[in-house]
Amino acid sequence: MIEIKNLTIQFNRQPPVVEDMSLTVPEGGRTIILGESGSGKSVTLAAILGILPSDAAVRGSIKIGGTEVLGLRERELRKIRGKVIGYVPQGSGNGMNPLMTVGEQVSEPLVEHSGLKKDEALQKAKAWMERLGLTPADKLARAYPHTLSGGMRQRALMAMGAAGGARILLADEPTKGLDEKRIAEVEKLLLSMDDRTLLCVSHDLRFASRIADTVCVMYGGKTVEVAPAKAFFKKPKHPYSKMLLEALPENGLNCPGGYAPSIDKRFACAFANHCPQASGKCFETPEMVRVEQHNVRCHLYGA
Ligand code: SF4
């Protein structure tokens, strides 16, 4: 359903923010891209949606349902956004229109892409709001975004992304800023939409372990590991993935507070600064290799 091949994104001829990324999300699959801020997760979503700024240089291929979307005109992209791809942006709902009620905004994609009349769309929008714990939906549908808390706006955005019925849902940090109860509601909603294809970026490992069937880990703009979620959470292969999981409380809470990419340009692997297993080999660029069910970019594996 989503096929990304050798995607590279650069701004103003600076070093790539995403480099040589390949990822396939099958129909009905739930893939979560994990990584720290600045690892290239959100930029990848923006590239799929065709909403990168004009100074972005993009190479590679992104196919949605077999159609190449890189290079499409804005008019053609608009037909895909909302109808084929629903998008849940990051940012506590700050992107909502302050002049429209929540109900109008959640029902808008239903009017635009499902051809429903306004009244009918509003009823459906309220049902989506209820599914996400935005109750009483009648009252909240008449409210303006500024009267809602950040967590409520985040869930309203989730409803907006899901309500249009798009077959693909892209979500950028959908659990950010939510408490455990609200996270559980978002998870329940995502799991109930098993007829949709989900590609989600997150830094929330627990959320990923409960939702994903496939995990893709990005570091320093590169994909460093892609694996079935079960295999990944049982035994990750890449040193960075291992350190991410060690930061979980049940695994020892070994959290040094972030792993900024290496500034030592002699190392071709951006993780070398933090890697306990770095060696002379790591001066050369590691290629993606197959290890059991995992694809891993690390010199510890392969020939
Ligand atoms: Fe560590 Fe080398 Fe693997 Fe990079 S390529 S993660 S530095 S062992």
Side-chain angles (χ1 to χ4, degrees), residues 23 36 68 86 125 155 173 183 223 266 277 285 290:
L23 180 69
E36 298 178 27
E68 178 64 56
R155 280 176 285 150
E173 303 277 9
I183 290 174
T223 309
R266 291 174 305 155
Q277 287 154 292
T285 304
R290 186 81 178 166

PDB file of all heavy atoms in Angstrom, residues 23 36 68 86 125 155 173 183 223 266 277 285 290:
ATOM      1  N   LEU A  23      11.077   1.425   2.766  1.00  0.00           N
ATOM      2  CA  LEU A  23      10.120   0.834   3.703  1.00  0.00           C
ATOM      3  C   LEU A  23       8.855   0.468   2.935  1.00  0.00           C
ATOM      4  O   LEU A  23       8.378   1.247   2.115  1.00  0.00           O
ATOM      5  CB  LEU A  23       9.776   1.851   4.806  1.00  0.00           C
ATOM      6  CG  LEU A  23       8.790   1.394   5.884  1.00  0.00           C
ATOM      7  CD1 LEU A  23       9.421   0.324   6.781  1.00  0.00           C
ATOM      8  CD2 LEU A  23       8.360   2.579   6.768  1.00  0.00           C
ATOM      9  N   GLU A  36      14.403   9.309  17.720  1.00  0.00           N
ATOM     10  CA  GLU A  36      14.416  10.558  18.490  1.00  0.00           C
ATOM     11  C   GLU A  36      14.011  11.735  17.599  1.00  0.00           C
ATOM     12  O   GLU A  36      13.975  11.595  16.374  1.00  0.00           O
ATOM     13  CB  GLU A  36      15.825  10.825  19.008  1.00  0.00           C
ATOM     14  CG  GLU A  36      16.313   9.745  19.934  1.00  0.00           C
ATOM     15  CD  GLU A  36      17.725  10.008  20.401  1.00  0.00           C
ATOM     16  OE1 GLU A  36      18.146  11.177  20.453  1.00  0.00           O
ATOM     17  OE2 GLU A  36      18.406   9.040  20.723  1.00  0.00           O
ATOM     18  N   GLU A  68       3.028   6.446  -8.200  1.00  0.00           N
ATOM     19  CA  GLU A  68       4.157   7.275  -7.762  1.00  0.00           C
ATOM     20  C   GLU A  68       3.636   8.660  -7.372  1.00  0.00           C
ATOM     21  O   GLU A  68       2.957   9.316  -8.154  1.00  0.00           O
ATOM     22  CB  GLU A  68       5.172   7.390  -8.906  1.00  0.00           C
ATOM     23  CG  GLU A  68       6.372   8.256  -8.595  1.00  0.00           C
ATOM     24  CD  GLU A  68       7.228   7.701  -7.459  1.00  0.00           C
ATOM     25  OE1 GLU A  68       7.669   6.562  -7.538  1.00  0.00           O
ATOM     26  OE2 GLU A  68       7.428   8.440  -6.472  1.00  0.00           O
ATOM     27  N   GLY A  86      -5.499   9.719   5.223  1.00  0.00           N
ATOM     28  CA  GLY A  86      -5.904  10.599   6.320  1.00  0.00           C
ATOM     29  C   GLY A  86      -4.664  10.941   7.128  1.00  0.00           C
ATOM     30  O   GLY A  86      -3.764  10.104   7.264  1.00  0.00           O
ATOM     31  N   ALA A 125     -19.425  12.712  12.692  1.00  0.00           N
ATOM     32  CA  ALA A 125     -18.273  13.323  13.369  1.00  0.00           C
ATOM     33  C   ALA A 125     -18.404  13.166  14.885  1.00  0.00           C
ATOM     34  O   ALA A 125     -17.434  12.843  15.579  1.00  0.00           O
ATOM     35  CB  ALA A 125     -18.174  14.801  12.988  1.00  0.00           C
ATOM     36  N   ARG A 155      -6.938  14.673  20.265  1.00  0.00           N
ATOM     37  CA  ARG A 155      -7.904  13.617  19.918  1.00  0.00           C
ATOM     38  C   ARG A 155      -8.868  14.093  18.827  1.00  0.00           C
ATOM     39  O   ARG A 155      -9.314  13.306  18.002  1.00  0.00           O
ATOM     40  CB  ARG A 155      -8.653  13.162  21.173  1.00  0.00           C
ATOM     41  CG  ARG A 155      -7.812  12.192  22.002  1.00  0.00           C
ATOM     42  CD  ARG A 155      -8.494  11.820  23.272  1.00  0.00           C
ATOM     43  NE  ARG A 155      -8.436  12.904  24.245  1.00  0.00           N
ATOM     44  CZ  ARG A 155      -9.352  13.135  25.162  1.00  0.00           C
ATOM     45  NH1 ARG A 155     -10.406  12.378  25.238  1.00  0.00           N
ATOM     46  NH2 ARG A 155      -9.206  14.142  26.000  1.00  0.00           N
ATOM     47  N   GLU A 173       3.097  11.226  15.974  1.00  0.00           N
ATOM     48  CA  GLU A 173       3.090  11.265  17.446  1.00  0.00           C
ATOM     49  C   GLU A 173       1.653  11.384  18.002  1.00  0.00           C
ATOM     50  O   GLU A 173       1.345  12.342  18.726  1.00  0.00           O
ATOM     51  CB  GLU A 173       3.925  12.450  17.958  1.00  0.00           C
ATOM     52  CG  GLU A 173       5.366  12.466  17.498  1.00  0.00           C
ATOM     53  CD  GLU A 173       6.272  11.584  18.357  1.00  0.00           C
ATOM     54  OE1 GLU A 173       5.759  10.830  19.208  1.00  0.00           O
ATOM     55  OE2 GLU A 173       7.484  11.645  18.140  1.00  0.00           O
ATOM     56  N   ILE A 183      -4.246   7.593  26.030  1.00  0.00           N
ATOM     57  CA  ILE A 183      -3.423   6.770  25.125  1.00  0.00           C
ATOM     58  C   ILE A 183      -4.154   5.458  24.842  1.00  0.00           C
ATOM     59  O   ILE A 183      -4.220   4.996  23.700  1.00  0.00           O
ATOM     60  CB  ILE A 183      -2.025   6.511  25.743  1.00  0.00           C
ATOM     61  CG1 ILE A 183      -1.212   7.801  25.744  1.00  0.00           C
ATOM     62  CG2 ILE A 183      -1.278   5.425  24.960  1.00  0.00           C
ATOM     63  CD1 ILE A 183       0.127   7.713  26.449  1.00  0.00           C
ATOM     64  N   THR A 223      17.387   4.627   8.150  1.00  0.00           N
ATOM     65  CA  THR A 223      16.707   3.476   8.740  1.00  0.00           C
ATOM     66  C   THR A 223      17.798   2.538   9.233  1.00  0.00           C
ATOM     67  O   THR A 223      18.665   2.127   8.466  1.00  0.00           O
ATOM     68  CB  THR A 223      15.891   2.742   7.655  1.00  0.00           C
ATOM     69  OG1 THR A 223      15.098   3.700   6.990  1.00  0.00           O
ATOM     70  CG2 THR A 223      15.006   1.688   8.257  1.00  0.00           C
ATOM     71  N   ARG A 266      34.781  11.063  10.621  1.00  0.00           N
ATOM     72  CA  ARG A 266      35.543   9.896  10.149  1.00  0.00           C
ATOM     73  C   ARG A 266      34.651   8.659  10.161  1.00  0.00           C
ATOM     74  O   ARG A 266      34.830   7.755   9.375  1.00  0.00           O
ATOM     75  CB  ARG A 266      36.758   9.648  11.053  1.00  0.00           C
ATOM     76  CG  ARG A 266      37.831  10.728  10.935  1.00  0.00           C
ATOM     77  CD  ARG A 266      38.900  10.479  11.958  1.00  0.00           C
ATOM     78  NE  ARG A 266      38.335  10.386  13.298  1.00  0.00           N
ATOM     79  CZ  ARG A 266      38.912   9.710  14.308  1.00  0.00           C
ATOM     80  NH1 ARG A 266      40.039   9.079  14.127  1.00  0.00           N
ATOM     81  NH2 ARG A 266      38.336   9.666  15.505  1.00  0.00           N
ATOM     82  N   GLN A 277      30.112  -1.045  20.539  1.00  0.00           N
ATOM     83  CA  GLN A 277      30.748  -2.048  19.675  1.00  0.00           C
ATOM     84  C   GLN A 277      31.397  -1.435  18.431  1.00  0.00           C
ATOM     85  O   GLN A 277      31.734  -2.151  17.488  1.00  0.00           O
ATOM     86  CB  GLN A 277      29.707  -3.098  19.274  1.00  0.00           C
ATOM     87  CG  GLN A 277      29.359  -4.000  20.440  1.00  0.00           C
ATOM     88  CD  GLN A 277      27.968  -4.588  20.299  1.00  0.00           C
ATOM     89  OE1 GLN A 277      26.960  -3.885  20.373  1.00  0.00           O
ATOM     90  NE2 GLN A 277      27.910  -5.879  20.092  1.00  0.00           N
ATOM     91  N   THR A 285      30.549   3.029   5.373  1.00  0.00           N
ATOM     92  CA  THR A 285      29.086   3.084   5.491  1.00  0.00           C
ATOM     93  C   THR A 285      28.492   1.685   5.610  1.00  0.00           C
ATOM     94  O   THR A 285      28.725   0.843   4.738  1.00  0.00           O
ATOM     95  CB  THR A 285      28.496   3.777   4.246  1.00  0.00           C
ATOM     96  OG1 THR A 285      29.101   5.054   4.139  1.00  0.00           O
ATOM     97  CG2 THR A 285      26.989   3.938   4.373  1.00  0.00           C
ATOM     98  N   ARG A 290      20.120  -8.537   5.868  1.00  0.00           N
ATOM     99  CA  ARG A 290      19.055  -9.359   6.447  1.00  0.00           C
ATOM    100  C   ARG A 290      19.630 -10.235   7.547  1.00  0.00           C
ATOM    101  O   ARG A 290      20.621 -10.933   7.331  1.00  0.00           O
ATOM    102  CB  ARG A 290      18.450 -10.225   5.337  1.00  0.00           C
ATOM    103  CG  ARG A 290      17.251 -11.020   5.771  1.00  0.00           C
ATOM    104  CD  ARG A 290      16.013 -10.162   5.769  1.00  0.00           C
ATOM    105  NE  ARG A 290      14.829 -10.924   6.153  1.00  0.00           N
ATOM    106  CZ  ARG A 290      13.688 -10.382   6.475  1.00  0.00           C
ATOM    107  NH1 ARG A 290      13.554  -9.061   6.484  1.00  0.00           N
ATOM    108  NH2 ARG A 290      12.666 -11.113   6.800  1.00  0.00           N
TER     109      ARG A 290
END
